[in-house]
């Protein structure tokens, strides 16, 4: 690997892991080929030298004649010529009569019994020759003459040195060819793997040279596996970019929005201290209004930051919008925000299930209700409905709502309508829009016969069979 590929904490590189696996497979394959080659060489050597033994035995058998009623063997030179092909081996031959008597050759006992009357084909067997393992063949030649009738047996044997040498040579040749082929395959595998891993090296180089604040998507070039990883990294960077953006917005918004109310609170407090007692109550009342406004601003800013964080990190789950509306209604926050306002709950008996984050939905519903309480007309209704695979949680007041040109700007951060009269930070419906975008929903604002309605519409979960 090159300098762009960094190995941490002694971890093995992917190349070394793959090459280790390839080498292990080649080693196992080499062992199996060696065993198969040795078995093949041993079998080939046995067949070759068995033919030599059989040829020598047949030559000797063909040289046997019946003279004066007795078998006579004139051993031909060709028989010993065949056996001499294995120069380092000891040889054995013996010609025996029907009763096993030695007619010519070695008189040593052959460690095998034959049924003389049934021996019709050459028979091979393994035994020892002067304490060394050897291979033998027996050939029978039958005679039916007036003065001699019966079988004469020819035994020829040979030690195994030449056979083993031949098997070893064949094995060495096969292993040599296999080894050269294995090395070529290993080198080819190394080059192929290096070529296949080059996109990873490019990706590593691009990431190491990238500016820490650069979270733009990377090009998904290269094989499909690398493209999948790049897509996953791009999605992660998008989430990280949103988190960093939310943090930047929170910091900038805090610095921008808190400066004026904090300065106003300080001024009102200083005036209350310096003013005469007759005006102190009025100063304190203004100070309380300012602190309440500041508290509302802080609550909305923290709520928006929390919603953005949860929509990026909390996995969606099945949520019944009726539970969300019921919880917001039973929390009774409206009794603090607008004690004189009448708030109603309108939910049906059929569950309206959506895939979202319950806490984020609750924050959105609370802000929809708070917005209606601040700018709408009582009575105010929070409700849930479903139609054509879309679930909605909505808040409706009895007023006419804002002007048409104002509706288009409602929901943008710190966008105040004329109806807010300076008492709103413009974050309420911005939170609702953020929740809608996070869960593939939409925010609808429209007038109807009963008043002005703001609704958060989300795709219903069809898997539950309820909408």
């Amino acid at each position: 690997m090159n300098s762009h590929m960094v190995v941490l904490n002694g971890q093995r590189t992917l190349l070394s892991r793959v090459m280790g696996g390839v080498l292990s497979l080649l080693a196992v394959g080499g062992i199996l080929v060696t065993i198969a080659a040795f078995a093949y060489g041993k079998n080939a050597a046995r067949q070759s030298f068995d033919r030599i033994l059989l040829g020598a035995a047949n030559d000797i058998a063909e040289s046997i004649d019946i003279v004066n009623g007795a078998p006579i063997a004139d051993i031909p030179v060709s028989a010993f010529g065949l056996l001499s092909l294995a120069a380092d081996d000891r040889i054995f031959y013996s010609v025996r009569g029907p009763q096993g008597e030695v007619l010519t050759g070695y008189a040593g006992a052959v460690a095998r019994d034959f049924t003389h009357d049934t021996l019709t084909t050459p028979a091979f067997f393994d035994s020892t020759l002067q304490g060394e393992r050897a291979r033998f063949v027996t050939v029978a030649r039958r005679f039916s003459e007036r003065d001699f009738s019966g079988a004469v047996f020819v035994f020829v044997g040979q030690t195994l040195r030449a056979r083993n040498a031949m098997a070893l040579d064949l094995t060495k040749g096969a292993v040599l060819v296999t080894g050269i082929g294995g090395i070529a395959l290993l080198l080819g595998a190394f080059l192929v793997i290096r070529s296949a891993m080059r996109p990873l090296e490019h990706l590593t180089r691009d990431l190491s040279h990238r500016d820490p604040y650069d979270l733009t998507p990377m090009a998904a070039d290269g094989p499909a596996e690398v493209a999948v990883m790049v897509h996953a990294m791009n999605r992660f960077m998008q989430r990280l970019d949103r988190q960093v953006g939310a943090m930047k917005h929170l910091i900038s918004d805090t610095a921008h929005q808190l400066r004026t109310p904090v300065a106003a609170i300080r001024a009102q407090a200083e005036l209350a201290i310096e003013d005469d007692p007759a005006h102190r109550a009025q100063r304190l009342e203004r100070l309380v209004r300012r602190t309440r406004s500041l508290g509302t601003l802080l609550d909305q800013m923290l709520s928006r930051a929390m919603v953005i964080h949860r929509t990026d990190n909390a996995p969606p789950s099945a949520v019944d919008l009726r539970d969300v509306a019921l919880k917001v209604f039973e929390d009774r926050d409206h009794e603090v925000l607008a004690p004189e306002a009448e708030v109603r709950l309108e939910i049906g008996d059929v569950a309206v299930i959506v895939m979202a984050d319950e806490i984020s939905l609750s924050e959105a519903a609370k802000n929809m209700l708070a917005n209606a309480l601040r700018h709408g007309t009582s009575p105010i209704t929070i409700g849930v409905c479903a139609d054509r695979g879309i679930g909605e949680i909505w808040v409706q007041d009895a007023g006419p709502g804002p002007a048409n040109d104002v509706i288009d700007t409602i929901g943008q951060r710190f966008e105040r309508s004329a109806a807010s009269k300076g008492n709103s930070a413009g974050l309420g419906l911005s939170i609702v829009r953020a929740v809608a975008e996070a869960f593939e929903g939409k925010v609808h604002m429209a007038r109807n016969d009963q008043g002005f309605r703001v609704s958060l519409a989300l795709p219903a979960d069809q898997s539950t069979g309820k909408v």
Side-chain angles (χ1 to χ4, degrees):
M1 307 300 288
N2 57 30
S3 59
H4 300 296
M5 303 298 289
V6 181
V7 181
L8 300 177
N9 298 327
Q11 295 178 343
R12 294 176 58 193
T13 62
L14 181 60
L15 177 61
S16 65
R17 290 173 181 269
V18 177
M19 290 303 300
V22 173
L23 185 60
S24 299
L25 291 176
L26 289 177
V28 172
I31 293 174
L32 295 178
V33 168
T34 301
I35 295 173
F38 181 74
Y40 170 79
K42 190 174 182 180
N43 184 62
R46 168 171 288 193
Q47 291 181 5
S48 299
F49 282 91
D50 279 355
R51 291 191 182 98
I52 293 176
L53 284 178
L54 181 60
N58 286 331
D59 284 349
I60 295 174
E62 291 297 327
S63 68
I64 299 173
D65 291 321
I66 303 300
V67 179
N68 297 326
I72 301 297
D74 184 12
I75 306 299
V77 177
S78 61
F80 294 104
L82 289 174
L83 295 175
S84 66
L85 294 175
D88 295 331
D89 281 318
R90 296 187 179 93
I91 61 174
F92 170 91
Y93 77 97
S94 179
V95 180
R96 304 192 179 193
Q99 304 304 319
E101 68 277 15
V102 177
L103 302 178
T104 185
Y106 297 101
V110 178
R112 179 163 180 142
D113 295 329
F114 294 96
T115 303
H116 296 173
D117 295 335
T118 60
L119 184 60
T120 58
T121 59
F124 292 91
F125 62 95
D126 295 321
S127 185
T128 58
L129 179 59
Q130 297 179 358
E132 187 175 350
R133 292 187 58 79
R135 179 78 167 167
F136 294 85
V137 65
T138 301
V139 175
R141 183 177 180 185
R142 297 183 179 277
F143 293 93
S144 296
E145 299 185 8
R146 180 183 303 174
D147 51 356
F148 183 87
S149 178
V152 177
F153 298 92
V154 177
F155 294 88
V156 178
Q158 187 180 43
T159 54
L160 307 180
R161 296 177 186 177
R163 295 168 182 260
N164 293 336
M166 180 179 177
L168 186 60
D169 288 340
L170 291 175
T171 303
K172 287 181 179 179
V175 170
L176 179 61
V177 173
T178 303
I180 295 174
I183 293 173
L185 287 176
L186 191 62
L187 180 60
F190 175 80
L191 296 176
V192 170
I193 295 170
R194 279 298 303 272
S195 177
M197 293 181 62
R198 192 162 290 114
L200 292 178
E201 297 178 6
H202 295 331
L203 179 62
T204 303
R205 184 177 60 252
D206 292 343
L207 286 175
S208 61
H209 292 165
R210 176 174 282 225
D211 187 274
Y213 298 100
D214 184 5
L215 297 177
T216 57
M218 296 182 296
D221 299 330
E225 294 79 3
V226 176
V228 169
M229 182 177 65
V230 172
H231 283 307
M233 294 180 64
N234 286 338
R235 289 194 298 269
F236 171 76
M237 288 195 296
Q238 289 175 356
R239 292 171 53 195
L240 183 60
D241 190 34
R242 287 195 297 268
Q243 292 288 339
V244 173
M247 181 180 65
K248 290 180 178 179
H249 286 315
L250 179 61
I251 294 173
S252 63
D253 294 346
T254 302
H256 174 72
Q257 294 296 320
L258 295 185
R259 184 178 295 110
T260 299
V262 169
I265 290 173
R266 184 174 62 249
Q268 293 292 338
E270 292 174 350
L271 289 175
I273 295 174
E274 298 174 356
D275 217 345
D276 58 89
H279 297 85
R280 186 167 298 168
Q282 183 181 5
R283 299 293 185 188
L284 291 177
E285 182 182 355
R286 292 179 180 177
L287 183 62
V288 169
R289 286 201 305 268
R290 288 288 188 178
T291 55
R292 286 177 179 173
S293 176
L294 179 60
T296 300
L297 172 62
L298 290 175
D299 288 342
Q300 288 186 333
M301 291 178 66
L302 293 175
S303 176
R304 189 174 190 277
M306 185 270 292
V307 165
I308 293 176
H309 171 75
R310 289 193 62 83
T311 52
D312 276 340
N313 294 277
S317 59
V319 180
D320 189 349
L321 291 180
R322 300 181 307 160
D323 295 337
V324 175
L326 182 61
K327 181 180 183 303
V328 172
F329 180 79
E330 291 181 344
D331 283 346
R332 300 291 177 179
D333 290 344
H334 54 274
E335 295 179 356
V336 177
L337 294 174
E340 73 285 354
E342 179 186 356
V343 178
R344 304 170 181 173
L345 179 66
E346 186 177 312
I347 57 176
D349 297 330
V350 180
V352 181
I353 307 297
V354 298
M355 294 300 295
D357 175 55
E358 184 173 2
I359 295 178
S360 299
L361 288 178
S362 297
E363 290 296 322
K366 287 180 181 179
N367 280 276
M368 290 164 61
L369 179 59
N371 188 73
L373 290 172
R374 290 191 183 95
H375 312 307
T377 303
S378 182
I380 296 171
T381 305
I382 178 171
V384 172
C385 64
D387 184 31
R388 298 179 182 179
I390 299 296
E392 293 187 19
I393 181 169
W394 49 266
V395 174
Q396 178 174 289
D397 69 89
N404 292 332
D405 57 341
V406 177
I407 291 178
D408 296 334
T409 62
I410 291 179
Q412 299 178 12
R413 291 170 45 247
F414 303 111
E415 180 64 35
R416 297 182 177 88
S417 66
S420 65
K421 300 177 183 179
N423 295 325
S424 172
L427 284 174
L429 293 183
S430 172
I431 295 173
V432 180
R433 288 193 184 275
V435 174
E437 292 173 358
F439 301 108
E440 300 179 358
K442 294 182 179 180
V443 177
H444 300 295
M445 303 179 191
R447 298 181 184 87
N448 54 35
D449 296 339
Q450 289 77 35
F452 184 74
R453 174 180 292 191
V454 178
S455 61
L456 171 58
L458 298 171
D461 183 16
Q462 304 295 334
S463 64
T464 61
K466 301 177 181 179
V467 295

